[in-house]
Amino acid sequence: NLRKRFLQLSGNEETISREHLDTIPALAENPIKAQIIEAFFDKRNQRGDEAGAFQEIGFEQFLMVMCHFRPPTLKMTAEEKEAMRKEKLRFLFNMHDTDNDGTITLEEYRKVVEELLSKSGAIGQETAEAIADAAMLEVASTNVPHMAPDEFYEGITFQHFEQILKGLEMESRMNIRFLDVDTTTMRCGRSTS
Amino acid sequence: LRLCVIPRCLRDDAPGGNNETGRAPPEDSHHHHQQTNSSTHHKKAFPVLSFNYEHVRQPFEISLWILLALLMKLGFHIIPRVSNVVPESCLLIVVGLLIGGIIKAIGEKAPMLDSKLFFLYLLPPIILDAGYFLPIRPFTENMGTILVFAVVGTLWNTFFVGGMMYAVCQIEGAQLGGVDLLSCLLFGSIISAVDPVAVLAVFEEIHINELLHILVFGESLLNDAVTVVLYHLFEEFSHADTVTVGDALLGVVCFFVVSLGGIMVGAIYGLLGAFTSRFTSHTRVIEPLFVFLYSYMAYLSAEVFHLSGIMSLIACGVMMRPYVEANISHKSYTTVKYFMKMWSSVSETLIFIFLGVSTVAGPHAWNWTFVIFTVILCLVSRVLGVIGLTYVINKFRIVKLTKKDQFIVAYGGLRGAIAFSLGFLLTNSQLKNMFLTAIITVIFFTVFVQGMTIRPLVELLAVKKKKESKRSINEEIHTQFLDHLLTGIEDICGHYGHHHWKDKLNRFNKAYVKRWLIAGERSTEPQLISFYNKMEMKQAMMLVESGSAAKLPAIVSSMQNIQPRGPARPRAIPSISKSREQEIRKILRANLQKTRQRLRSYSRHDLLIDPFEDGLSEVRFRRQRVEMERRMSHYLTVPANRQEIPSVRKVCFEPEHQVYTYDTDGESLRGRRASHSHPSASDAAGLVNESTRRPDQSGAAEPRPKAPDDQEDQDQLTLSRCLSDPGPNKDEEGGGSFLS
C-alpha cells in the first residue's frame, strides 16, 4: 500500500526529498517529470493557504497530494462532485502557474507545451510557442469575447481555466486506482473536516 | 434478389439460343439473318428501336431498389415532423412492408433478405464504417466493461431465453411439444445478440453521451464472436445425437479461436493496408480503394475459416487507421470518409427495407405462446443481465455506472437484421418458420417500441448528452498532460496500472511501428502537433467555405492583446516589408485568375483542379470570389492605421498532401511534395489571405530568408485561424456521432 511505497521511496526514512523521486526509473521517460515532482513539494497543494515549496515532505503531505487523484464515489452529490472537480483543476492549475501569481501567463503556458513535447524528438521551440499561443488565444476568445484593441489579456485565471476545461470532466478522468482505497479516502475525508 | 433473378436469366437463355451478350440491334439483325436463311420469302424491316429488358434485368433491378431506398430516405428528411418522432429505421421498415404488400398484391415473388446478400454485401460496409471511426480512447478505457457485457451478457441471454423457452414449450396447451432443448438453445443464441445495425440507427439520432454509446455499441460489435460460436455449436449439436462435456469444452476453445483468430486476421490485413499506404504518394487516386479492399478481404478471409468476420473488420479498421491517415492525402481521407458513410448509409437503408419486405413475403407460422413469451423473455433477460453484470462490474470500475446508465444500456439492446439472417440460414422446417416469425416479432418490437421511446425517455431521465463542441486545442493539450501526469503518479505509487501500459504501448508504437508504416517525415510527428495541424487546416477550410474572412481582422487584432507588453520582451509578430507584400499581392491576384479558369475544366481523373472538397458548388465559389475581390479592392484603397500588422503568407495547402510538418531547421518546406497543383492549392488560402491583408506601413526593410519567414507567418495566420471558428459546425464528420 501507499505507506509501504512511501517507505520504500524514502529508504525507510520519515521524509522524502526531490532526489528520492527523481531516481524512480520509470519516471525517466516522462516528459513532465519535473513538474510532477515539483507538485509534490508545492505547498499550495496542501490544505493550507501557504505558498512556496517544501524541501522534504512527510507521509501526510504525500498522502494529501495523492488525495487529489481519488475517484468520485456513487454516493456523491452534484455539489460534492463539483467541489472535487474544482480541487483537481486547482491541482493542475498550480502545476502550470509556477510563479504563483494566480494566472497562467503566456510564458508559463509556453513552457508547459514545450515540456510536453520535449521527449518527442527535435521539435522546435517555435512550434511549441505557436501551439501555446493558439491555445491562449482560444482561452481569451472564449472567456473575454469582446476585447478592445488596447486591452491586454494578462493570463489565464482560475475561472477561465475551469471554463476552458469544462468539457473534460476532470472528476471522471483524473483518477488513479489506489491499492488501498479505503484508508486513502478515509484520511482524505478526515483531513477536510 | 440475386437468387431469384439468376434462374430467370438462365431460363431465358435456353430456348432462344440467342446469346445475350451482344447488343440488341446486331443480335436482332443476326436473328433476322438466320431467319432470312431459313425462310426465303419473309423479309423484316430493319429494327430501329427494340426492347431487350432481359439483358439488363439484374443490374437494373438492383439499381432500382437502391434508388428507391435512397429516395425514401430523402423523403423522410424533407418531412421534419415525422423524422423527429420516429427513428428512420422504423420508417424504413414500414416502407418495406408497404412495398412488400404491393409486390404481393401484384402477384410477383418479392425478393427476400437473402442471407448471402446480407452477410456478404450489406453488412460489411456498416461494420467497416463503425470500426474505422470507432473512438479508440473511450473504447479502450471501457474495454473490460464492454467485454463483460458482450461475452457474459450474451451467454446469459442465450441460456436464459433458450432454457425458459424450453420450459414454455413443455406447457401442454401450446402445441409446442416438438421443440427440443437444442433447438430452443439455438433459437436463444440467434435472438440474444444485440444488433449493431439497429443500435447504430437508433443511437445515432439520440446523441447520447459517449460512455453509454460506446458501451452499447461496443457490446453489439463484440458479441458477434459469441453469437457465431454459439450458433454453429448448437447447429452442429442439433444434428449430432449426443452432446458430451468434451464437446462443450471444444465450444469454449472454439470461442477463443474464433474471436482471437478474427482479430488477428483483421490486424494482419490492417497492417498490410497501412504498409501499402506508405507507398501511394504517387498514385493518390487509388488510395481510398486500398482501405476498402483490404478491409473487405479481411472480412472475407475471416468468413472463410468461420472466424468472426465482424471482429476481423473492426480490428482491420482500428489497426489501419492511424497509419493510413498519416499517409494519405487529405482528399483521399475525405473520400474514404464519405464513401464509407455513403455505403453504410445505403446498406442500412436497404437492410431495413428488405426486412419489411421479407416480413410480408416470408412464410409464417404464428404461434401466440411462443412469440409472446419470446418477447417477454428477451426483455426480462436483458434487464436481469444488465443489472447483474453491472453489480459485478462496478466493483472494478473507477467511474461507476449509475442506475440511469444501466437502464439505457438495457433499453438499448435492440435486435435487428443479423438475427433475422441467422434465422434464415436455418435448415428448412416447420420450426424454422415459427422461429422466423418470433424473430421478426422481437425485431419489430425492439426497433419500433424501444427505438421510438428511447428518445423521450432519454429526455425524461435527463441522461447526459454528447457534448457538441469540437475538441479545442486546450483540451487536447490537457488530455495529453493528464495522460503523462497520471502515468507519472502511477509510477510514483509503484502501481502498474492502465496508464502505465498505455504509455508503454505508445512508446513502442512510436519507436518501431510508426517508422515502418508511415511514410517520410510524419513518422516522428508527435500527436499534439498532428492534432494542431489538422485543426488549423480544418478551420482554414471552414473559414474559406463560409466566406467569413472578414472576421479575420478583428480576430487578429486580439492577438495583440495576448502579447506581453513591455519593450524588453521580444515581439512575436514581425512586420513585413513593403516590397514583400507587393510581391505577395501580385501572386495572390494571379492565382485568383487561375482558379477562375481551372474551375471550368473538370475531369474525373484530375483531382488537382478542385481546391476545395467539401461540397462547394461552383456558384457559391464564384460568389465568394466576387465578394473577396470586392473586399480586396476596398482594402487596397483604404489606408490602415494599425501598428502591428500580421504578416500574410500563402499557405501551401496542397490538395494532394496533408499539412507538412514543422521542422525548425528552416526546412519546413521539406515535407512538401512537388506537385503541379501548387499554385492552385494556394488559392484556398490565397483567398483567405487576401482579405487579411492590410496595406502596410511598417518600414522594416530587409527581406528575410524565406524559411523562417514562412514559419512565423504560418504561425500568425494559424493564430488568427484558430479563433475564427464560424458558428454552426459544418458537420464535416458526415453526420456521424463521433469525431473522426
Side-chain angles (χ1 to χ4, degrees), chain B residues 34-73:
Chain B
Q34 280 182 337
Q35 277 197 327
T36 43
N37 281 344
S38 53
S39 66
T40 45
H41 300 296
H42 180 68
K43 183 171 160 64
K44 242 166 72 170
F46 185 80
V48 174
L49 193 66
S50 49
F51 182 81
N52 184 10
Y53 181 59
E54 290 309 315
H55 175 57
V56 294
R57 188 193 180 92
Q58 190 178 343
F60 192 86
E61 285 189 352
I62 295 176
S63 306
L64 200 61
W65 273 105
I66 298 181
L67 194 61
L68 179 74
L70 295 176
L71 286 173
M72 288 296 135
K73 206 175 160 83

Side-chain angles (χ1 to χ4, degrees), chain B residues 604-615:
Chain B
R604 183 160 47 99
H605 297 288
D606 209 346
L607 285 180
L608 310 171
I609 287 178
D610 190 4
F612 310 102
E613 56 242 29
D614 271 355

